[in-house]
Amino acid sequence: MRFSRTPLLCRLAMSGFLLIVGCTTLLHAQAPGDGRTGTPAEMTLSIFVGGWFLPTSIWENNNPALGAGAVLRYGLSTVFALQGGISLWRIGSDDQYRTLDSRGNFLGIFRRTATSTIIPVEAGAIYTPELDTPLRPWISFGIGFYPAFSSGKETLLGGGGSTEDISTTLTAPGFYGGAGAAYEIDHAFALTLEVVYRSVSFGSEWLSTWHDSLSGVSVQAGVRFAL
C-alpha cells in the first residue's frame, strides 16, 4: 500500500502549535492591563462521548464514528487556557470502486467493507469569554496526530467473485477547531457540549476508512470536573 509522508505539513503543524502557545502566553502576561483582576490558573478534566460524521458519496458509505475521550485543560488566565486530550473512535465503512485496465477498459467492481479504530491525540488553545452567567461558551483550535487501524474484506462483485482480507495502519497530522459551551452546576462541575471540525489527510489512496481524508465534524457531549 502506498503512503506518502508529509514532512512539510508536520513542520507547519509544529510551527502553528508554537505560535498558539506564544500568543496565549503573551495575552496572559498582558491581562492585568485590561482592568481584570484575573483568577489563579486551574486544571480541569473533561470526559465526553460523541459521533464523528465523515463525508459520503454514491460509492462510499461511512457510518458515523462513535467514540469517547478525555481532555485536560490548564488555565493561563480568566479567558485563555491550554488543553490536550486523547480519544478513541470506531467506525464501519462500506464502499465500491471500478477497476480499469491500462487501455481504460472496464474490468469489474470491487466492494470493500471495513471496521476502523481512530485514536486522535490533540493539543491546542481555548478562549472562554468572561460572562456573568452559568453558561460559558468557548472556541478552541489546535493540532493533532491521528493513528488509524483498519481491517476488512475486499470482494470482486459478479460471477466467480473472490474475497480477500485486507488491513491498513496509517498515521497523519491534522488540525482541529471547535465551538462549545459549558453549563456550570457549581465551580467544580459542569455539563459540556462541543462541535469540532477536524481536517486530516493521509496522502494515500488506500486508507483506514478507504478515503484519503478523515476530515469531518464531530458532536461531543460530556462532563467537566475541576481538579
Side-chain angles (χ1 to χ4, degrees), residues 195-214:
V195 177
V196 179
Y197 177 78
R198 295 176 173 88
S199 177
V200 186
S201 178
F202 286 90
S204 169
E205 63 181 58
W206 304 110
L207 296 182
S208 59
T209 55
W210 321 124
H211 287 271
D212 62 355
S213 171
L214 289 177

Side-chain angles (χ1 to χ4, degrees), residues 8-225:
L8 177 59
L9 184 56
C10 292
R11 289 196 294 269
L12 290 174
M14 183 57 66
S15 299
F17 179 68
L18 293 175
L19 181 62
I20 291 169
V21 173
C23 290
T24 52
T25 303
L26 178 61
L27 288 166
H28 173 55
Q30 294 176 343
D34 62 8
R36 295 172 180 167
T37 58
T39 59
E42 65 175 13
M43 193 88 71
T44 62
L45 175 65
S46 298
I47 300 173
F48 67 84
V49 296
W52 186 351
F53 301 90
L54 299 176
T56 62
S57 71
I58 189 173
W59 292 102
E60 298 166 322
N61 179 24
N62 284 297
N63 299 320
L66 301 179
V71 176
L72 194 64
R73 181 184 302 174
Y74 177 75
L76 297 175
S77 71
T78 56
V79 295
F80 287 100
L82 298 179
Q83 66 178 13
I86 187 170
S87 55
L88 185 147
W89 304 82
R90 293 276 288 177
I91 183 172
S93 61
D94 185 346
D95 79 334
Q96 298 181 19
Y97 69 97
R98 301 169 180 264
T99 56
L100 306 175
D101 62 18
S102 58
R103 297 183 178 180
N105 297 316
F106 176 72
L107 294 179
I109 296 177
F110 282 87
R111 179 183 181 185
R112 294 195 195 98
T113 57
T115 300
S116 305
T117 301
I118 310 164
I119 309 177
V121 180
E122 299 168 320
I126 185 168
Y127 170 75
T128 305
E130 286 189 295
L131 299 175
D132 188 18
T133 171
L135 188 64
R136 300 293 301 276
W138 74 76
I139 57 173
S140 62
F141 51 94
I143 62 173
F145 285 89
Y146 300 86
F149 310 90
S150 300
S151 60
K153 295 183 181 296
E154 183 177 67
T155 303
L156 175 62
L157 302 181
S162 60
T163 300
E164 178 183 359
D165 292 330
I166 51 179
S167 64
T168 62
T169 300
L170 297 174
T171 302
F175 302 87
Y176 75 88
Y183 183 79
E184 296 179 341
I185 305 300
D186 54 36
H187 176 71
F189 180 75
L191 304 177
T192 64
L193 181 65
E194 184 175 21
V195 177
V196 179
Y197 177 78
R198 295 176 173 88
S199 177
V200 186
S201 178
F202 286 90
S204 169
E205 63 181 58
W206 304 110
L207 296 182
S208 59
T209 55
W210 321 124
H211 287 271
D212 62 355
S213 171
L214 289 177
S215 299
V217 173
S218 67
V219 178
Q220 303 169 181
V223 295
R224 188 176 72 195
F225 306 92

